[in-house]
Amino acid sequence: MLHMASIHVVNVSKRFGTALSSSLGEQQRQARLTGHPPRERTADDAPPQGEVLALDSVNLDVRDGESMVILGPSGCGKSTLLRVIAGLESYEGEVFYGDRNMRDVPPKDRGIGIVFQNYALYPQFESKGNLAFFFKMHKREEEINERVKQTSQIMGLGFEALLGRMPGTLSGGQKQRVAIARAICRDPRLLLFDEPLSNLDAQLRSSTRIEIRRLINRFAITTLYVTHDQTEATIMGDRLAIMDRGRVLQIGTYRDIYAQPASAFVAGFLGAPPMNLFEGSVEGNRIAALNTYLTPPPHVLDFVVRHQPITVGIRPEDIVVAASDSLDEGERENTLRTAFEFVERLPSDRAQLLHATIGETRLVVRTSLDRHIPLQTPVRLVLPMDRLYFFHAQTGMRI
Ligand SMILES: Nc1ncnc2c1ncn2[C@@H]1O[C@H](COP(=O)(O)OP(=O)(O)OP(=O)(O)O)[C@@H](O)[C@H]1O
Ligand SMILES: [Mg+2]
């Protein structure tokens, strides 16, 4: 059994598709054999036609006992990363558990429990047989009854009643409980979840995610949890890794990433709704954006003078709707006039989202539900200077 359960993903890439002989992957493999360093990847090294670069030089460290969430849009490589870490896919680069390189360790010997979105129960075994399979495979049959009993206690009310049922007779939620039980039954050092809740209805999803978080806390098992659901991410993740197009863009707590997004992509992804983003260009020592002028901090102005245009961002909750009696105050910097088109009420958050369109830009403003703000009526919005974010328009990197 493995001792240390930290995970270290070092420069891992994964390509799917066409013949690899002409690709950089093959060069790297050969480099490893011959000892000659491969040339650095450049922006011109687009994958050959038909090839998918599912993981692009990914680095990730998960600490012993930590729960790390992999969050990103569909197709960004989350499942592939999880499968590489589990040993279910070939890859370039290295994966360590603790200080041990896992290249030649088969999945069944890694001390991991995996829960997949589609449950992946063995259809020919009843639930108990699903839990027991691992112990049969490892010739540890004598442990089965005790382990199943302990697991049932952990899984709580009503679980024992499922043990004699065949997967085909279980509801989605029941299958998921069996799948989770199967993963923890073997006393794993590492738990891997791939969107385990996405096939459940909203109510079951919210109760099951709390159940899973309790399990994670109780055992302090190192956990990797893949999702594209932000609520799940905040509950499950001590830290988050945000992915896009095969790359890990930023790693940190939800709070830190929310406050300090490294790029426009991350800013425009995290938050519900996410940050408002729009284009700005320099005029004198101000930035013209939307239908107003913004005063940027000096380092941003320096940057913009050299690299126009830039992307400006502000969170919906950071925009201030001025009191209606201040409408006549005339135009000032960092304020703009508009009218809201419609409102989205969020009673459970005691909030409302007000939507406006300024030129080509859709703007969302979040205020307290108590505030009465008329629609289709002129309003003045203030974009406080210390709440503005600035990003490089081409690379998306934060300035
Ligand atoms: N077996 C495969 N063969 C070819 N391409 C694949 C294979 N598996 C994944 N891909 C491709 O690799 C990329 C990443 O896929 P992956 O399943 O890891 O995404 P994901 O982030 O898990 O998406 P989702 O949220 O939809 O599950 C996608 O472009 C996908 O089409
Ligand atoms: Mg997936």
Side-chain angles (χ1 to χ4, degrees):
M1 189 53 84
L2 293 155
H3 189 62
M4 280 287 290
S6 56
I7 307 170
H8 309 280
V9 175
V10 183
N11 217 8
V12 162
S13 294
K14 171 69 188 176
R15 288 154 212 278
F16 287 111
T18 60
L20 283 168
S21 54
S22 62
S23 75
L24 208 61
E26 185 59 20
Q27 287 181 29
Q28 281 174 346
R29 236 187 312 281
Q30 285 177 0
R32 206 181 299 136
L33 291 173
T34 60
H36 293 296
R39 71 183 168 88
E40 286 290 298
R41 177 198 301 287
T42 70
D44 298 332
D45 285 323
Q49 279 276 307
E51 189 181 282
V52 178
L53 186 58
L55 296 176
D56 185 1
S57 309
V58 168
N59 288 285
L60 184 69
D61 291 317
V62 187
R63 299 168 192 144
D64 195 11
E66 182 179 38
S67 176
M68 171 76 80
V69 161
I70 314 286
L71 182 68
S74 186
C76 72
K78 304 182 294 295
S79 297
T80 305
L81 178 58
L82 195 86
R83 292 172 57 81
V84 161
I85 289 170
L88 300 169
E89 298 279 0
S90 64
Y91 54 92
E92 302 158 40
E94 306 302 340
V95 174
F96 297 87
Y97 291 6
D99 51 15
R100 181 162 175 205
N101 194 322
M102 300 308 281
R103 172 140 329 258
D104 300 317
V105 183
K108 69 175 177 55
D109 297 331
R110 292 184 173 206
I112 51 182
I114 312 185
V115 183
F116 296 102
Q117 175 177 355
N118 62 1
Y119 319 126
L121 296 175
Y122 310 117
Q124 69 276 32
F125 302 132
E126 51 198 22
S127 303
K128 184 173 176 184
N130 267 276
L131 269 58
F133 186 78
F134 169 84
F135 297 94
K136 288 197 174 129
M137 196 166 67
H138 287 261
K139 305 261 178 294
R140 290 161 54 187
E141 269 121 326
E142 67 287 353
E143 296 173 49
I144 290 175
N145 284 334
E146 186 57 27
R147 289 298 309 166
V148 170
K149 195 171 134 202
Q150 284 173 0
T151 305
S152 300
Q153 277 164 6
I154 295 164
M155 294 304 295
L157 217 60
F159 185 79
E160 228 155 63
L162 304 179
L163 285 174
R165 307 252 306 261
M166 297 299 280
T169 72
L170 300 174
S171 74
Q174 291 167 332
K175 281 182 194 155
Q176 196 53 282
R177 289 185 80 195
V178 174
I180 292 167
R182 182 178 60 176
I184 61 171
C185 186
R186 56 184 66 174
D187 199 12
R189 291 286 166 275
L190 195 61
L191 269 175
L192 306 177
F193 293 93
D194 191 353
E195 310 225 22
L197 308 180
S198 47
N199 286 340
L200 306 182
D201 67 42
Q203 205 166 6
L204 204 52
R205 209 157 50 221
S206 66
S207 59
T208 311
R209 69 187 173 218
I210 289 165
E211 202 173 309
I212 294 177
R213 182 70 229 201
R214 285 221 170 91
L215 284 176
I216 294 172
N217 282 4
R218 174 166 173 173
F219 299 108
I221 307 175
T222 310
T223 301
L224 214 64
Y225 191 103
V226 163
T227 182
H228 55 242
D229 181 306
Q230 294 196 33
T231 314
E232 246 169 74
T234 58
I235 295 173
M236 298 302 176
D238 300 331
R239 287 192 301 158
L240 276 52
I242 311 285
M243 285 189 73
D244 183 42
R245 286 179 286 173
R247 289 178 162 258
V248 170
L249 300 183
Q250 194 168 1
I251 300 170
T253 64
Y254 189 94
R255 239 179 119 106
D256 289 347
I257 299 176
Y258 192 84
Q260 302 292 339
S263 66
F265 175 85
V266 174
F269 183 73
L270 218 58
M275 189 181 285
N276 294 292
L277 296 168
F278 43 90
E279 198 174 271
S281 60
V282 81
E283 283 185 24
N285 55 3
R286 304 183 301 180
I287 290 174
L290 299 171
N291 57 15
T292 186
Y293 291 99
L294 307 170
T295 40
H299 77 277
V300 173
L301 196 62
D302 282 352
F303 181 92
V304 185
V305 171
R306 285 176 287 122
H307 308 269
Q308 301 211 49
I310 57 163
T311 302
V312 185
I314 186 164
R315 296 259 175 220
E317 63 271 28
D318 289 337
I319 299 178
V320 179
V321 184
S324 55
D325 57 10
S326 66
L327 262 181
D328 301 328
E329 277 182 30
E331 298 310 327
R332 281 199 256 133
E333 285 182 5
N334 290 40
T335 74
L336 56 92
R337 278 168 183 278
T338 187
F340 291 116
E341 296 157 312
F342 59 94
V343 61
E344 200 180 328
R345 290 181 223 283
L346 308 171
S348 65
D349 295 348
R350 299 193 159 279
Q352 59 187 338
L353 302 175
L354 295 141
H355 294 258
T357 308
I358 298 167
E360 304 276 280
T361 305
R362 301 243 161 92
L363 209 64
V364 186
V365 179
R366 186 185 174 105
T367 75
S368 157
L369 193 57
D370 305 331
R371 209 59 209 271
H372 176 71
I373 298 168
L375 301 178
Q376 330 289 354
T377 307
V379 286
R380 199 164 62 87
L381 304 182
V382 182
L383 313 184
M385 198 176 102
D386 59 347
R387 296 292 173 179
L388 294 172
Y389 293 79
F390 300 93
F391 305 93
H392 193 295
Q394 269 86 47
T395 65
M397 296 314 287
R398 175 110 172 268
I399 302 167

